[in-house]
Amino acid sequence: MTPPRPRSRRDVVRMLGASAAALPLAGCGAAWGLTPAPPEPPVQVPLPPLAPPPVEAAEVMAVPRGDARPPATPRAARLPPRLPAGGTVGLVAPAGVLRSADQVDAAVTALEGLGFRTKVGRNVLSRFGFLAGTDAARARDFMTMIRDPEIDAILAVRGGWGCARVLPLLDYDEIAAHPKPIVGYSDITALLLAIYARTGLVTFHGPVGVSTWQGLTSGSFVQTLVHGLAPVVGPETRLNRDRTQTVRPGVAEGPVVGGNLSVIAGLAGTGYLPDFDGHIVFFEEVDEDAYRLDRMLVQLELAGTLRDPAGIAWGQCASCGSGGSTWTASETIRRHLQGYRCPSVMGAPIGHVSPVYTLPIGLPARLDAEAGTLEYVGSAVA
């Protein structure tokens, strides 16, 4: 009798069917009486050398991680020189990317219509992701305007996001040595508060280049920075359609700090916020739901940022909703304000609405919560 022929691998695959073709045959010899094939030696593919990162990537982020610090104690407030009539305004983009050159052109046209000359920063139209250039480029543009003797004031073209990223790259000693009005709002809050905290220089929560420069917006800008008039805001807001509402009555006096809530909450613990104790604090926000407003206010309270304010003026919360909660955005804000013993109001004419008043940061003011007014004491410019 002829002994059976040993099965080959091809026989095994044929017996199992076509589906076995996808099975690995290495290691299957012990089950079928086959001699396993010796493993093939691994192929050594040399890895290409790592290319050095482009300059932009190397510059993009310079913020030290995990460096939480207590709020900075502001130095004695220093007034910048007033913006002369016909002076030169430097335009910078320290935060978000601009959509087009038309936005710069519109800002130039608006300022020149008020009688000012303009000088546009080199990197204003740069793009780096969602930023107007790398952190280093945006910081250089700003410091160039600070050092330039021809520049009488600095105006951000727009907000967005990005100012916090450049704060470690700024030379605060040079900013103090070359004081000039610095203006903007929304994300520019980070720049304004950090400079006030580190230098004592009065900065200005006011319009940006892409604001609508009409009526009270341009009037407040010129009166505050050129004529040196002390600003007064309230009680009417948004062309008399709303009135500032009293939450806790009383009168508070102290230097003013504030700005966009989410930006301030994001700076808590970084050392770039001034100590808010004894200050009249104002907030504004846009397009946030009630629970997010609550989260940011709780963050500031837990961080000790709002330990002992002299007074609180909540501005406009434009397009803020309930987010499906039974609490509205206004009710959420009111509940927080009621937890403080100091005088407070809500609905003040401050925020992502028109007009945009030019409000000094670091200058003393008087908040009358029952009258719904915030009245500054003296001129904000030297």
Side-chain angles (χ1 to χ4, degrees), residues 246-288:
T246 304
V247 178
R248 280 194 173 275
V251 174
E253 295 182 350
V256 176
V257 294
N260 183 260
L261 173 62
S262 59
V263 173
I264 294 173
L267 288 179
T270 64
Y272 290 102
L273 279 184
D275 190 337
F276 284 6
D277 287 357
H279 286 69
I280 296 173
V281 184
F282 70 88
F283 294 110
E284 61 87 19
E285 194 47 88
V286 60
D287 199 24
E288 296 285 4

Side-chain angles (χ1 to χ4, degrees), residues 89-144:
V89 178
L91 295 174
V92 294
V97 65
L98 273 69
R99 291 194 302 271
S100 71
D102 291 344
Q103 292 183 304
V104 180
D105 294 340
V108 168
T109 300
L111 290 166
E112 290 181 350
L114 296 176
F116 300 112
R117 296 185 298 272
T118 58
K119 193 170 185 177
V120 179
R122 178 179 179 182
N123 292 287
V124 161
L125 291 175
S126 296
R127 290 176 176 267
F128 193 84
F130 44 76
L131 302 166
T134 66
D135 295 344
R138 300 195 319 281
R140 279 196 299 269
D141 261 14
F142 182 80
M143 291 306 304
T144 297

Side-chain angles (χ1 to χ4, degrees), residues 245 290 293 317 320-321 327-335 346:
Q245 307 163 33
L293 296 169
C317 202
C320 295
W327 289 358
T328 64
S330 295
E331 183 177 358
T332 302
I333 294 167
R334 182 179 291 275
R335 285 174 177 270
M346 59 187 298

Side-chain angles (χ1 to χ4, degrees), residues 149-173:
E150 295 182 356
I151 299 299
D152 300 302
I154 301 173
L155 179 75
V157 181
R158 65 154 296 189
W161 157 250
C163 276
R165 300 172 63 105
V166 305
L167 298 183
L169 303 177
L170 303 181
D171 188 329
Y172 296 95
D173 290 335

Side-chain angles (χ1 to χ4, degrees), residues 4-9 11-12 15-16 25-37:
R5 178 176 59 86
R7 297 185 180 95
S8 66
R9 295 187 184 186
D11 294 330
V12 172
M15 291 172 60
L16 293 176
L25 294 180
C28 294
W32 294 94
L34 302 176
T35 303

